[in-house]
Amino acid sequence: MTQHIILATGAIFGMLSVIFGAFGAHALKKILSSEQLQSFEVGVKYQMYHAIVLLALGLNPEYTTSAIHVCFTLGIILFSFSIYGLILSEAKGKKMRFLGPITPIGGLLLVTGWLLLLLNVL
């Protein structure tokens, strides 16, 4: 796993996090309930937190592995993006319920990424 790929992944997720955060704060504020908006913001926060982790790992390649990169990348996609899909589909009146079980799988991948990082550092 090259350092450049990890850095690019972190940068893409960081950029998208800012875009989605602004979209939520401005465009979605008018159509989402406060509870829905809070859930959307959870997805944005977790995406940004893990984008920053990917950037740190890209700058410190001795602490990372392909497995860690994959866990964080898939975890962000499954966790945050399933939240976005759930909230946006619910706001449109057609909640995509199949996304509900995907969110915890993404969370489990994020936790696994952290565990693998811990084991790699030790």
Side-chain angles (χ1 to χ4, degrees):
M1 179 66 45
T2 70
Q3 173 176 3
H4 293 89
I5 292 171
I6 296 171
L7 288 169
T9 305
I12 289 167
F13 282 132
M15 175 188 67
L16 289 174
S17 181
V18 172
I19 291 168
F20 295 159
F23 180 64
H26 299 290
L28 296 180
K29 188 172 163 180
K30 299 170 188 166
I31 63 169
L32 297 181
S33 70
S34 61
E35 184 179 307
Q36 289 171 320
L37 194 55
Q38 285 177 335
S39 292
F40 190 88
E41 289 172 356
V42 166
V44 171
K45 287 177 189 175
Y46 274 69
Q47 182 177 332
M48 181 57 86
Y49 298 153
H50 290 88
I52 293 167
V53 169
L54 286 169
L55 292 173
L57 290 172
L59 294 172
N60 297 287
E62 66 273 15
Y63 296 115
T64 196
T65 64
S66 294
I68 294 170
H69 178 246
V70 168
C71 283
F72 282 137
T73 299
L74 289 178
I76 291 168
I77 292 168
L78 295 178
F79 183 82
S80 293
F81 284 70
S82 66
I83 290 174
Y84 305 149
L86 281 166
I87 298 302
L88 293 174
S89 65
E90 183 178 3
K92 297 273 186 185
K94 305 254 184 189
K95 188 172 184 178
M96 295 189 287
R97 297 190 188 281
F98 70 91
L99 291 174
I102 293 174
T103 307
I105 294 169
L108 184 59
L109 283 167
L110 294 174
V111 170
T112 302
W114 284 105
L115 176 61
L116 292 174
L117 177 60
L118 174 63
L119 294 173
N120 199 40
V121 169
L122 295 176

